[in-house]
Amino acid sequence: MDVPFLDLKTQFFPLKEEIKKAIDDVFESQIFILGSSVERFEENIGKYLRVKHAIGISSGTDALLVSLMSLNIKEGDEVITTPFTFFATAGTIVRVGAKPVFVDIKKDFNIDEDMIEEAITERTKAIIPVHLFGKTCSISKIKDIAKKHSLYIIEDAAQAIGAEFNEKKVGGVGDLGCFSFFPSKNLGGIGDGGLIATNNHKLAEKIKVLRKQGMEQKNFHKYIGGNFRLDEIQASVLNIKLKHLDLWNDKRIKNAEAYINQLSNLEEKGFVSLPRSEEKNEHVFNQFTLVCKNRDKLREFLLRKGIKTEVYYPIPLHLQECFKMLRYKKGDFPVAETVCENVLSIPIYPELTKERRDYVIDNIKEFYIGHNFR
Ligand SMILES: *Cc1c(COP(=O)(O)O)cnc(C)c1O
């Protein structure tokens, strides 16, 4: 049996006619930039996220970049974030000229809020907490810290659309929330796309200006902005897919529950540790990530059985070559470093059948308990 890591074709099939018609409508209108599809999508997703303003952006990376620009974060400033995340979280901080200051993570892969305060200096301007793999980080404690020290919060919710905290959706809790519609995210477009969510009217207005070259009215540039727009074709497809997001997230959660139930045996024996969530919808499982013994051998074993897995992430950001100038070294963030050596993400996509899921479970058990592990 083959188990892909993600199965977008199966997701596309029942939506095919509707999506094709929506794209066709864009072609007929010949309006490709900031037209009615983007407007409608911003309205729909704003309601979904329960925020006052939702602004379509060209990608998740650009959503982070424009967020930092909108807060005027620049050279001399510091921004606190996690070293265990997708590159863009820290890359964008450096791109505006500021310095990323990393703080180690907890066992749940998210930034350790208890270590944030000691990283704050008089240069600190913002915190970028990441809801990694779809799991809500300790956002209320982080909010308290930010408030106490007058810092902004930019939530990197690229992997966590739909996840909740105290009945609020992530991305709508901090000052700004960033989302990505890269095809592998829980709400995936047909190319690149992103979004900034906010309840701050002033920031929303500025972001809308920044995304079109800083132009408030034609030919008058108030800021040095850029081309950061979401396009009509993406928005027309996202409008359709958004209606299915909660159902898809539920299916991811169901798959996760099955994995947790059936692999807890291995956890008790110390072979793997499983991602847990306590509150309802606290985790929307963009990834189901194990910390496991003999990771690379397990990965090879599963591949031989036709099961695709991924390592998110093999190298923590503080040890990336491009961040050498930050002068971090091995040993600075021991939890993140250890996790990088032992994590494995297994298929969790909504269309994963019970048959395939059971096959994954059986093979992981076979690896540890059968004669393959020794
Ligand atoms: C995907 C992702 C981004 C970047 O989004 P793109 O749309 O690919 O630019 C940023 N942060 C995290 C945590 C992500 O997973």
Side-chain angles (χ1 to χ4, degrees), residues 38-324:
V38 169
E39 229 169 77
R40 227 173 340 117
F41 177 60
E42 290 178 338
E43 199 182 308
N44 292 338
I45 198 162
K47 275 193 197 131
Y48 177 83
L49 296 170
R50 297 178 216 125
V51 292
K52 292 198 184 114
H53 308 275
I55 305 140
I57 299 286
S58 35
S59 70
T61 304
D62 286 347
L64 289 162
L65 185 66
V66 175
S67 292
L68 290 159
M69 288 166 73
S70 76
L71 298 173
N72 203 27
I73 290 172
K74 55 183 184 311
E75 203 177 336
D77 296 337
E78 293 177 359
V79 178
I80 291 173
T81 193
T82 158
F84 189 63
T85 174
F86 180 65
F87 169 76
T89 315
T92 50
I93 298 170
V94 177
R95 284 172 65 194
V96 296
K99 181 179 161 193
V101 173
F102 295 118
V103 167
D104 210 352
I105 56 168
K106 299 179 296 186
K107 284 225 168 80
D108 73 348
F109 308 124
N110 283 328
I111 192 165
D112 187 342
E113 66 277 4
D114 291 334
M115 297 173 79
I116 290 177
E117 277 198 290
E118 51 196 277
I120 294 174
T121 73
E122 68 272 19
R123 292 170 174 238
T124 310
K125 287 283 150 59
I127 306 172
I128 307 186
V130 182
H131 307 288
L132 201 71
F133 303 145
K135 180 166 193 271
T136 308
C137 65
S138 305
I139 191 74
S140 78
K141 288 183 192 157
I142 295 171
K143 249 188 121 159
D144 291 343
I145 297 167
K147 200 168 172 196
K148 182 172 156 198
H149 296 269
S150 303
L151 306 175
Y152 293 109
I153 294 181
I154 303 170
E155 294 177 77
D156 184 340
Q159 300 181 2
I161 190 160
E164 290 181 352
F165 154 78
N166 274 358
E167 323 247 299
K168 279 187 176 170
K169 298 269 184 199
V170 302
V173 186
D175 297 284
L176 297 162
C178 298
F179 294 91
S180 163
F181 307 121
F182 184 78
S184 69
K185 305 291 159 97
N186 287 23
L187 179 61
I190 52 167
D192 283 310
L195 187 98
I196 300 174
T198 184
N199 288 310
N200 183 317
H201 179 72
K202 268 198 176 149
L203 285 176
E205 290 305 307
K206 186 170 179 186
I207 286 162
K208 281 186 203 161
V209 175
L210 282 170
R211 81 171 161 181
K212 40 177 198 177
Q213 311 288 2
M215 228 163 27
E216 212 162 38
Q217 12 162 342
K218 202 166 183 181
N219 294 318
F220 289 85
H221 297 266
K222 182 163 180 173
Y223 310 109
I224 301 171
N227 177 354
F228 298 121
R229 298 172 297 239
L230 182 70
D231 75 69
E232 284 287 295
I233 289 179
Q234 289 304 331
S236 72
V237 175
L238 289 165
N239 259 321
I240 294 167
K241 286 191 157 194
L242 177 61
K243 295 183 281 186
H244 303 272
L245 176 61
D246 280 342
L247 180 67
W248 291 334
N249 278 350
D250 284 345
K251 288 184 171 178
R252 287 174 181 273
I253 292 167
K254 292 252 152 57
N255 285 334
E257 283 167 359
Y259 277 142
I260 289 167
N261 284 334
Q262 295 178 62
L263 293 173
S264 60
N265 233 342
L266 291 182
E267 190 172 46
E268 281 158 27
K269 294 194 165 81
F271 291 123
V272 300
S273 114
L274 301 163
R276 306 261 171 200
S277 64
E278 275 120 57
E279 310 287 324
K280 190 172 177 289
N281 294 336
E282 177 191 37
H283 201 329
V284 291
F285 293 97
N286 180 244
Q287 301 300 340
F288 188 89
T289 303
L290 308 165
V291 178
C292 47
K293 283 213 161 124
N294 279 35
R295 191 259 319 267
D296 295 339
K297 286 233 168 77
L298 172 64
R299 189 171 190 213
E300 266 169 45
F301 177 80
L302 294 176
L303 190 61
R304 264 186 276 126
K305 301 284 185 163
I307 301 166
K308 302 274 199 328
T309 60
E310 294 286 346
V311 174
Y312 299 123
Y313 298 90
I315 304 167
L317 295 185
H318 67 287
L319 300 180
Q320 290 290 348
E321 185 177 349
C322 67
F323 293 142
K324 255 193 318 215

